[in-house]
Amino acid sequence: MELSSDRLVARLEMSQIQSEDGELLNDNSDGDYESLPPHVSVTTHMTAGAVAGILEHTVMYPVDSVKTRMQSLQPDPNAQYKSVYEALKRIIKTEGIFRPLRGLNITMMGAGPAHALYFACYERVKHSLSHIIQSGGNSHIANGVAGSVATVLHDAVMNPAEVVKQRMQMYNSPYRGLWDCVRTVTHTEGVGAFYRSYSTQLTMNIPFQAVHFITYELMQEQLNPHRHYNPGSHIVSGAAAGAVSAAVTTPLDVCKTLLNTQENVALTSVNVSGHLSGMANAFRTVYRVGGLAAFFKGIQARVIYQMPSTAIAWSVYEFFKYFLTKQKLEQEVASGQL
């Protein structure tokens, strides 16, 4: 029933896009775009989200590999880098051209379903809360809460992939490949190892996504107040949202990386035996090893990674949402004319 009513509302909205003399306006005339429809199916949100998530993580993946290494608390002398460019150049030169892509396969496997749930949940919760809080208008509270709820689902899917990915990204990683890493971690540390950083991941990502969505929606209010499909505004808003949220949550990301990688040299230096777990323990360990400065290790790489990644994610998501919905509406109109 819900889908059929959505179609009816969407069709009525299309029928209302007319000029004063009663002629239907051309959606693409004079460079204008059709407004993003307010009633979009869950399938459309999930498809657009999955494509956006995969592209977000793959396009900038080499920079993410550098970020993981730069967050190492006590890196090997051969893995100490001054900048993202210098790191990429040296990794490719000494370890091979494909080394910065190690772990990309598990990231793609996790990113598709994780982002499908993420965007679908965000849109549904935002839509529901906006009606309650702001009578259907844009609400920063609704945006922040929706982003936080969506993050819980996203991280539940993505956390195991993050653990495997970061262990394969580290310098001198002992794992031969994806399945070797999964088998070894499961055998030596148990299945729980894949969720050891889940609480820290949530503690980082809930404020990250809250700041991210609030910043994005705030930028959209300024750059795209009528909420038309506007690629330029989606890219700029996404980049700004990624930069701000990445910078303010870097300390939590450093702790997450330590929990995921279980960096032996750093843990041994502060006499930590066994496996480190818990956000509080991670915070104490990071501070004991490197002081306050250690909490901001890799911030440059993190911001450089997040700005284009988030811009790509939002622009691709909005495009596919627009494209899929427009295609569906055209099919509905065509079938109605038969």
Side-chain angles (χ1 to χ4, degrees):
M1 290 295 292
E2 182 182 356
L3 288 178
S4 61
S5 64
D6 283 352
R7 291 192 188 106
L8 178 60
V9 172
R11 188 179 296 173
L12 287 172
E13 287 173 348
M14 285 191 70
S15 67
Q16 291 170 354
I17 306 176
Q18 295 181 348
S19 61
E20 292 181 357
D21 61 1
E23 294 181 357
L24 189 65
L25 292 175
N26 186 344
D27 291 341
N28 296 320
S29 63
D30 300 325
D32 290 333
Y33 293 96
E34 179 184 345
S35 296
L36 286 172
H39 300 280
V40 180
S41 70
V42 174
T43 303
T44 298
H45 284 306
M46 295 188 76
T47 304
V51 175
I54 291 172
L55 287 176
E56 173 190 355
H57 284 280
T58 55
V59 173
M60 296 300 294
Y61 188 82
V63 178
D64 184 59
S65 294
V66 170
K67 184 216 70 170
T68 297
R69 292 195 180 193
M70 293 181 79
Q71 287 181 336
S72 174
L73 297 179
Q74 291 193 346
D76 185 282
N78 294 322
Q80 294 180 354
Y81 314 107
K82 296 179 181 178
S83 67
V84 175
Y85 174 74
E86 188 256 344
L88 280 173
K89 184 178 177 181
R90 200 197 311 172
I91 291 171
I92 292 172
K93 183 178 179 180
T94 60
E95 302 175 51
I97 192 170
F98 294 111
R99 189 63 180 82
L101 299 177
R102 200 159 191 260
L104 177 60
N105 48 2
I106 185 63
T107 301
M108 293 178 67
M109 290 168 62
H115 279 72
L117 289 172
Y118 174 72
F119 278 106
C121 178
Y122 170 71
E123 294 284 0
R124 285 289 171 172
V125 175
K126 182 185 77 168
H127 180 72
S128 300
L129 290 180
S130 293
H131 275 284
I132 296 172
I133 299 171
Q134 205 77 6
S135 300
N138 184 47
S139 166
H140 295 312
I141 295 175
N143 299 335
V145 173
S148 300
V149 173
T151 298
V152 175
L153 290 177
H154 171 274
D155 287 357
V157 176
M158 200 65 191
N159 206 86
E162 281 282 319
V163 173
V164 175
K165 177 200 77 172
Q166 291 198 304
R167 293 197 181 208
M168 294 180 69
Q169 286 174 333
M170 293 296 285
Y171 180 74
N172 275 342
S173 173
Y175 309 107
R176 295 189 300 274
L178 164 61
W179 297 114
D180 178 52
C181 181
V182 172
R183 283 193 299 268
T184 303
V185 172
T186 303
H187 179 71
T188 58
E189 303 177 42
V191 177
F194 295 106
Y195 283 94
R196 188 179 286 132
S197 65
Y198 184 55
S199 60
T200 302
Q201 183 98 337
L202 286 178
T203 305
M204 175 187 75
N205 278 346
I206 287 177
F208 176 94
Q209 298 301 349
V211 172
H212 169 198
F213 282 114
I214 289 172
T215 304
Y216 180 81
E217 298 288 355
L218 185 63
M219 292 289 292
Q220 282 291 286
E221 282 185 357
Q222 302 301 315
L223 300 177
N224 189 18
H226 300 296
R227 298 306 173 108
H228 292 170
Y229 172 61
N230 187 327
S233 76
H234 299 318
I235 291 171
V236 173
S237 299
V244 173
S245 50
V248 300
T249 57
T250 295
L252 291 165
D253 192 50
V254 172
C255 294
K256 182 208 74 174
T257 297
L258 178 61
L259 289 171
N260 279 345
T261 59
Q262 297 290 306
E263 190 181 344
N264 289 327
V265 176
L267 297 182
T268 303
S269 69
V270 290
N271 300 318
V272 174
S273 57
H275 304 298
L276 185 70
S277 62
M279 183 180 65
N281 289 331
F283 261 95
R284 281 194 293 269
T285 303
V286 171
Y287 182 76
R288 287 172 63 188
V289 173
L292 289 175
F295 288 104
F296 293 92
K297 289 175 75 69
I299 187 172
Q300 178 196 42
R302 181 165 163 78
V303 171
I304 290 174
Y305 167 75
Q306 284 294 344
M307 282 186 70
S309 293
T310 312
I312 289 167
W314 275 111
S315 58
V316 171
Y317 173 67
E318 297 286 11
F319 167 74
F320 270 89
K321 188 169 72 172
Y322 164 78
F323 175 76
L324 292 172
T325 303
K326 184 178 179 183
Q327 189 178 53
K328 186 175 182 180
L329 292 178
E330 288 175 346
Q331 290 173 352
E332 290 288 331
V333 171
S335 63
Q337 292 173 345
L338 293 177

